[in-house]
Amino acid sequence: MKQSLLPLLLLYTALLFSQSKVDSLHIALEESSDDSLKVKLLNQISSAYLYSSADTALLYSRKALVLSEELKYLPGEAEAKRNLTMIYRLLGDYPRAIENGFAALDIYEEIGDQLHMAKTLNGLGSVYFRLEDYEESLNYYNQGLQVFEKLKDEYGQAIAYVNIGNVYKNIDQAQKSMENYSKALKINRRLGHKLRTSINLENIGTLYINQEKYDKALPYLFEALNLSREISDNQGIAASSSHIANIYQKKGKIQKSMEYAALSYEVASQNRLKIESASACLTLSKNYSSLKNFENALKFYQLHKAYRDSLYNEANLEKLQHIETSYEVQQREQELTIKEQTIALLERDKKISGLWRNILIVGLITLTLIGFLIYKFLRANSRRDKALLLAEQASTQQLEALDRAKSRFFANISHEFRTPLTLIKGPIERLEQNPNDQLSIETVKMIRRNTNRVLKLVNQLLDLSKIDESSLELDPTEGDVYKCIRAATSSFNSHAAQRNIDYRVQIPRATLWASFDRDKMEKIVFNLLSNAFKFSNDGAEISFEAEHSKQELRIQVSDSGKGIPEKALPFIFDRFFQVDNSSTKEHGGSGIGLSLSKDLVELMNGTITATSEVHKGSSFIVVIPILKIETRQREAVEFIKEDGVLPKQKSFEFDEMDQRDLPQLLLVEDNDDMRSFIKESLGVHFKVDEAQDGRVGLKKAIKDSPELIISDLMMPKMDGIELCKKLKTDVRTSHIPVIMLTAKAGMDNKIEGLEIGADDYLTKPFDARELLARTKNLLKQRQNLRDLYGRMERGIDPKKITVTSIDQKFLEQILAVLEDNYADPNFGVGEMQKSMSMSRSHLHRKIKALTNEAPSELIRNFRLKRAAQLLLQKADSVTQIAYKVGFNNLSYFAKSFKDLYGVAPSSY
């Protein structure tokens, strides 16, 4: 099995301090009065605690960073950030590790400290190794090795050889891995360092494990474990014992495997070593499963999953929230400034216009008095004509408003129909294409759920039609009113549990026998509760109360949701009215639910009222005359807990991370069923990440840079049009193809989506096969562009390998930077990053997406292609051409040239 979680890549880069050394550093820190010396001591103390207590090391590194930034002491700041890179790597916080590593590298490059620059490159390589980005990891390790060789630093060379060996091991190149391990082991044995020797022994042991040569692996691992115990290396003890436990588990020696796995877990958990803890828990889970102890097997598997997930879920959420908050504050400040300026201008205009208004009023009064007798008759006629005109205009405005409301209604009802129809149509077409397959129970439930949704919409439209024609009549029958209401309210129990909503139902346990229209009563309850759930966030509170007194049934539905603005409250029962008519509205709907409820309540001679406060919730009260029949008494069936509170439930699922080597897609869709359907349709061919609205989708696109994005058009917080516009105008995401899904079938909507940069457009209901085909075609087109670049022998042609103007401009800038700097041997990724004003991670993802090469490869291959041109022109000797294109190492130039062109430079 690949050792993708190898733990000890950076141990070589730190000095081990004895306890007395740590104590002496603390004493020196207390006695020191020189601030720059304090920074050095704080960094040394942080290094001392690095592998024994990461939290303590983090505390001292932060102190060193704050003090060095106050002093503007660059060497101290760089050392603190380098320490933070190693600390965050050990704690599994990779985004912060990369951020601090790049910052340290920039400072070391600025002050010309090559030794620490090489160590920082090594540290970045280790972080990317943990992220399984082996290409980028190897790139940074090789850069570090070149510097160590230049400085003739054997210690650093050994570090680099081990790290490069680890990368080759993880990409299944065992021979290259063993070559690098052997080089490192030779140096380490000569230097006689137990820690590094133990690490080498463990590396060789795990390499044999990958080749399933367990008997050869064990002696190396036992020797590594003994050496780790001698020097109290907790991480080495945890890692070596975990590998030994894994071998014994594979050999069927369960008791021995349990012994070493328990040792590994004990040491790892005590020292917060998440990776080793996860590995030990997985081995223990397998062992308990072999012993038929499934309770403990499940327990340790859950622990393994928790440790593993925490390594990926602790991304940069706090930083993103801070950035988002800062942006919102800045926007509000700008809006306030504009508002103040506008008010000032209005006040000035008001003063100026006031004088003229007074003059005009006096003049008008004078003219009116002079012409009063002459124009009296004409003015009387004019008033009558004007009244008629105003009445006509008012009627026209009412008709236009009604027409706009109806148009909005039909657009929304179309969207409401198209989404469930797509979810019904898709599985049926799949079953038609594969008649031998069976639909899963979840798919059947989804079809039934969306069929009921369509049926509900149709019934509401029919009821509205009957109300308009005054043909809707009551159909009363005798029955238990409370029982009917209990059945209706219980339909929301599972939905409340799924969303962790505190759903409280208070209905008397007595029997209320009366003559009433059961169907219309259920519709009133359903509409009010649907509205409450629709406009409440997960974890909110919703209450339903019913009571009968003085021959009246009183129903109250309250929620703690977003509330209704005061200006919109008088219109919420109007037909087609919606509080939010924008394309980014939070919640779908047709605008007929509350209107229908009001009509049904009034049909039953009742009243319905609403109160609401923004951000605090809404409350609806229904009062319906109900005459209780005393001749029939029945026991009410208790459907809820005695206190009226439903228990909160959470289902447990094993959510395995998708580790397949497939293209990564991002699906941005606010409808849960639609997301599940699309993910199921595409999941065989792609890894599919999900976002429930445009704002979350934009953040994920910037952070993860998927290969393709599928987005709905109508979504909360940010609609698909705005999302696509932001994606296509941001240099970090402009290269990502976008497929737009929508229920709006009009040509104007399609043209609007295509004009702002959407690469394809699909109307609901759509065929899942068509979506799959269009997705594959777009990805194939992008790959063809990258392949086209790979076949270009003389450099980049931005027009041929880009789709958007932003990407073309970006590559043109890259080309200009390379043209200006390729002959400089010191020009590298750091200099390119500064020239492009981009972070290293975004620069890497962008160039990789457009050219299929990492930035370092792009620079190297550009130089090689320029060298090939000069060789064809016989412009100079091979040696001089190598120097001209920025290579200082002739053997590296020859090797790289042969790797690219298949022949040596002299034979080209």
Side-chain angles (χ1 to χ4, degrees), residues 789 794-799 807-822 827 832 836 847 858 862 866:
Y789 166 73
R794 303 211 172 185
I796 307 172
D797 186 349
K799 294 181 180 179
D807 291 341
Q808 180 181 332
K809 184 178 179 181
F810 172 79
L811 275 184
E812 287 172 349
Q813 290 176 340
I814 288 286
L815 183 60
V817 170
L818 291 174
E819 284 285 358
D820 292 341
N821 298 280
Y822 74 90
F827 179 78
M832 179 186 286
M836 299 302 295
I847 293 178
L858 182 69
F862 186 90
R866 185 52 53 89

Side-chain angles (χ1 to χ4, degrees), residues 425-426 429-430 677 681-682 766-773:
K425 181 171 175 279
E429 288 178 344
R430 191 184 309 150
F677 169 65
S681 301
L682 304 180
F766 56 83
D767 191 321
R769 292 176 301 170
E770 182 180 4
L771 176 60
L772 176 61

Side-chain angles (χ1 to χ4, degrees), residues 269-314:
S269 59
Q270 288 176 356
N271 292 276
R272 293 188 62 201
L273 304 173
K274 294 181 182 180
I275 295 176
E276 291 73 20
S277 297
S279 179
C281 287
L282 183 60
T283 303
L284 285 168
S285 175
K286 291 179 180 178
N287 286 334
Y288 277 119
S289 180
S290 299
L291 296 172
K292 308 299 182 185
N293 187 341
F294 298 114
E295 182 178 354
N296 279 333
L298 178 59
K299 169 189 169 184
F300 280 101
Y301 181 79
Q302 289 172 336
L303 282 172
H304 157 74
K305 186 172 180 294
Y307 278 118
R308 186 199 64 193
D309 290 348
S310 69
L311 296 173
Y312 296 93
N313 293 337
E314 295 172 358

Side-chain angles (χ1 to χ4, degrees), residues 16 185 189 192-202 219-234 236-237 240:
L16 293 177
L185 185 59
R189 290 197 183 278
H193 200 292
K194 290 184 179 180
L195 175 61
R196 287 178 282 159
T197 303
S198 69
I199 294 172
N200 266 153
L201 291 167
E202 184 200 338
Y220 290 99
L221 293 172
F222 275 121
E223 187 178 352
L225 178 59
N226 292 333
L227 285 172
S228 296
R229 282 172 167 164
E230 286 181 25
I231 59 177
S232 300
D233 174 22
N234 291 324
I237 294 170
S240 298

Side-chain angles (χ1 to χ4, degrees), residues 156-272:
Q157 290 176 42
I159 297 172
Y161 285 135
V162 170
N163 292 336
I164 293 170
N166 289 331
V167 175
Y168 281 124
K169 178 166 65 175
N170 278 266
I171 59 177
D172 294 327
Q173 295 190 28
Q175 184 177 353
K176 287 186 177 181
S177 178
M178 186 61 77
E179 289 174 1
N180 283 278
Y181 285 157
S182 298
K183 292 177 182 178
L185 185 59
K186 184 178 179 181
I187 296 174
N188 291 334
R189 290 197 183 278
R190 184 168 65 251
L191 297 176
H193 200 292
K194 290 184 179 180
L195 175 61
R196 287 178 282 159
T197 303
S198 69
I199 294 172
N200 266 153
L201 291 167
E202 184 200 338
N203 288 333
I204 294 171
T206 53
L207 187 58
Y208 279 127
I209 290 176
N210 288 347
Q211 298 172 330
E212 298 184 357
K213 298 176 181 179
Y214 303 128
D215 292 331
K216 287 187 176 183
L218 279 174
Y220 290 99
L221 293 172
F222 275 121
E223 187 178 352
L225 178 59
N226 292 333
L227 285 172
S228 296
R229 282 172 167 164
E230 286 181 25
I231 59 177
S232 300
D233 174 22
N234 291 324
Q235 196 169 15
I237 294 170
S240 298
S241 53
S242 177
H243 293 315
I244 294 170
N246 187 29
I247 290 175
Y248 280 133
Q249 192 269 330
K250 292 181 181 296
K251 291 168 70 69
K253 297 180 179 181
I254 304 302
Q255 292 303 326
K256 283 190 174 182
S257 179
M258 292 283 281
E259 175 187 345
Y260 285 99
L263 170 64
S264 176
Y265 179 61
E266 179 184 0
V267 175
S269 59
Q270 288 176 356
N271 292 276
R272 293 188 62 201

Side-chain angles (χ1 to χ4, degrees), residues 77-147:
E77 182 182 347
E79 186 67 13
K81 288 182 179 293
R82 191 169 71 86
N83 282 342
L84 286 172
T85 302
M86 294 184 283
I87 293 167
Y88 283 127
R89 179 184 62 81
L90 291 173
L91 294 176
D93 193 342
Y94 302 130
R96 287 186 179 179
I98 293 173
E99 179 184 351
N100 282 279
F102 285 157
L105 190 61
D106 290 340
I107 296 174
Y108 284 133
E109 289 177 345
E110 181 179 346
I111 63 179
D113 188 341
Q114 290 195 339
L115 177 61
H116 285 94
M117 187 175 72
K119 292 180 179 180
T120 307
L121 288 166
N122 232 22
L124 285 168
S126 296
V127 177
Y128 280 108
F129 182 89
R130 286 285 182 89
L131 290 169
E132 299 184 21
D133 187 347
Y134 299 124
E135 183 178 359
E136 196 69 5
S137 176
L138 196 59
N139 171 36
Y140 284 106
Y141 285 149
N142 279 320
Q143 288 185 51
L145 177 60
Q146 289 177 14
V147 179

Side-chain angles (χ1 to χ4, degrees), residues 718-775:
M718 181 187 294
D719 66 7
I721 295 294
E722 185 179 357
L723 172 63
C724 188
K725 188 180 297 181
K726 288 183 179 294
L727 290 170
K728 293 300 183 180
T729 54
D730 191 324
V731 70
R732 296 170 293 181
T733 55
S734 57
H735 61 278
I736 304 175
V738 177
I739 296 179
M740 194 75 73
L741 305 177
T742 182
K744 292 186 175 181
M747 182 57 67
D748 291 341
N749 302 111
K750 185 173 182 179
I751 291 173
E752 182 183 9
L754 294 174
E755 282 180 344
I756 55 92
D759 297 83
D760 212 337
Y761 200 95
L762 210 54
T763 304
K764 300 176 184 177
F766 56 83
D767 191 321
R769 292 176 301 170
E770 182 180 4
L771 176 60
L772 176 61
R774 295 194 182 201
T775 303

Side-chain angles (χ1 to χ4, degrees), residues 389-404:
L389 180 62
L390 288 174
E392 184 178 347
Q393 288 177 344
S395 176
T396 303
Q397 289 175 353
Q398 289 178 352
L399 290 173
E400 289 176 350
L402 181 62
D403 185 61
R404 286 195 301 270

